[in-house]
Amino acid sequence: MSSKVGGTSSLVGDLYGDVTRYRELLIPVVAEVVKSYPDAGLEKLFIVLPKKVIALAPMVICEAFHFDLTGKSVDDKALIALGMTMLPISTHDDIVDEMPKERDLVSCLVFAGNIMAIEGTRMLIEMDKKKALDILLQQINLNHYYQRKNISLLWENKATNFSDYRPGIEHICVFNSIGALFGCALAEREDVREKALGFANGYGVAMQLIDDIREVEEDREVGYSSFPLLEGAPYKESFRQLFLHLDLAEKNLDENWLKVREVVARMRTYAQKLQNEHT
């Protein structure tokens, strides 16, 4: 589907290790948002944020880049703000993918995402992180833009080969660039921007291929055109592309970027396990 990373996932531990720190950072802030905007429908969407891959993945990647560049962890408030601004990527996508007919649910999905993201933006303004915020908002907007492209490329049309499929998943590459570029900006290392983007492009394609291989039958039912669905088991070319793009992600990393390399290594281990299940 177009952005399945938006939901909660059993893959969190496999791909990102122990994310307890990031979840615990978000929980009290989410509780404050719930108090500030009391509404049962909104609350249901707010309170799941600390469990969502859409929030946790950028936080992990952001801190990995920042630590490799500075030797220091990211300020807690900056990490919280990053996680908060991710919610509309998930909720807006749910509207498009699932097309709920209930007006109340649609309104909750729209406004819960917007409220949480704006609260996160306010937090970064208060921290005087203007440059990092500017980069964050640019990438969020690019994600929204390529999500729109995904609809025409892989929902309304059908991929006939990998070349057709690749432009339709550009949004997932942009999504992975959010945490990477935000971490670089907080570290004041915009000079490594191209390396961070190279990582995000390779890692993003690999992430989407893993998700699409795992959810072939679901995609078949809903009418989403993924390359693994087109190819069919045992997904030989899908796995070849997956590992090729993981290599691309790794080639963009300096040798001493051990935290980010660990993120890539975790995905490679999971991908190898998944491949073994299909051979």
Side-chain angles (χ1 to χ4, degrees):
M1 297 174 72
S2 62
S3 183
K4 290 171 284 188
V5 294
T8 56
S9 173
S10 59
L11 282 178
V12 173
D14 289 321
L15 296 186
Y16 303 107
D18 185 359
V19 295
T20 303
R21 157 171 153 74
Y22 306 103
R23 283 178 168 160
E24 290 182 347
L25 285 174
L26 287 171
I27 288 170
V29 179
V30 168
E32 287 300 315
V33 174
V34 169
K35 288 181 182 177
S36 298
Y37 304 94
D39 180 276
L42 295 176
E43 181 177 353
K44 289 178 182 178
L45 297 169
F46 289 152
I47 63 174
V48 297
L49 183 65
K51 298 180 181 180
K52 281 187 169 286
V53 182
I54 204 82
L56 299 170
M59 293 169 78
V60 171
I61 291 172
C62 169
E63 189 148 62
F65 267 93
H66 189 275
F67 190 88
D68 283 341
L69 293 171
T70 68
K72 299 177 182 179
S73 297
V74 177
D75 181 279
D76 286 353
K77 285 187 177 181
L79 280 175
I80 292 166
L82 171 61
M84 294 171 75
T85 59
M86 294 299 98
L87 187 58
I89 293 177
S90 174
T91 57
H92 293 186
D93 184 67
D94 286 346
I95 295 170
V96 175
D97 281 4
E98 299 173 16
M99 297 179 64
K101 298 186 183 304
E102 302 87 354
R103 189 187 304 272
D104 185 65
L105 176 55
V106 172
S107 69
C108 287
L109 287 166
V110 171
F111 298 123
N114 293 357
I115 289 168
M116 188 67 75
I118 291 171
E119 288 296 327
T121 300
R122 288 178 60 203
M123 188 176 294
L124 288 170
I125 291 171
E126 291 170 0
M127 295 176 68
D128 196 24
K129 297 292 184 182
K130 184 179 183 300
K131 185 175 290 187
L133 174 59
D134 184 54
I135 289 171
L136 174 63
L137 295 180
Q138 284 180 33
Q139 297 310 113
I140 292 173
N141 264 355
L142 274 179
N143 179 276
H144 292 328
Y145 171 74
Y146 283 111
Q147 282 284 80
R148 165 72 184 119
K149 294 289 186 182
N150 168 269
I151 302 306
S152 60
L153 292 172
L154 296 181
W155 282 95
E156 296 178 352
N157 293 290
K158 301 296 181 184
T160 59
N161 51 49
F162 189 81
S163 295
D164 289 344
Y165 170 76
R166 175 60 183 86
I169 61 170
E170 182 63 22
H171 65 284
I172 200 67
C173 299
V174 176
F175 168 72
N176 280 285
S177 77
I178 293 172
L181 292 181
F182 189 62
C184 294
L186 292 171
E188 299 182 351
R189 287 291 306 274
E190 285 82 356
D191 59 298
V192 298
R193 175 183 175 86
E194 292 307 313
K195 291 182 178 181
L197 288 173
F199 156 81
N201 286 335
Y203 188 85
V205 172
M207 172 186 278
Q208 191 67 50
L209 281 166
I210 284 175
D211 219 25
D212 288 344
I213 290 168
R214 292 175 72 241
E215 300 190 4
V216 161
E217 291 308 315
E218 178 183 333
D219 290 345
R220 192 190 314 278
E221 291 176 8
V222 299
Y224 176 72
S225 175
S226 77
F227 181 73
L229 174 60
L230 170 70
E231 181 185 22
Y235 313 113
K236 183 177 180 180
E237 179 62 13
S238 296
F239 280 112
R240 190 184 78 83
Q241 291 288 347
L242 196 167
F243 289 111
L244 185 69
H245 281 84
L246 280 178
D247 291 343
L248 173 63
E250 199 164 30
K251 285 177 182 176
N252 279 278
L253 305 178
D254 287 359
E255 287 296 325
N256 63 337
W257 292 3
L258 301 182
K259 290 290 187 182
V260 186
R261 285 181 172 274
E262 182 180 335
V263 172
V264 177
R266 282 185 178 278
M267 180 175 284
R268 190 182 298 277
T269 297
Y270 182 82
Q272 289 167 342
K273 176 184 174 183
L274 185 64
Q275 185 179 41
N276 290 339
E277 293 174 0
H278 290 282
T279 57

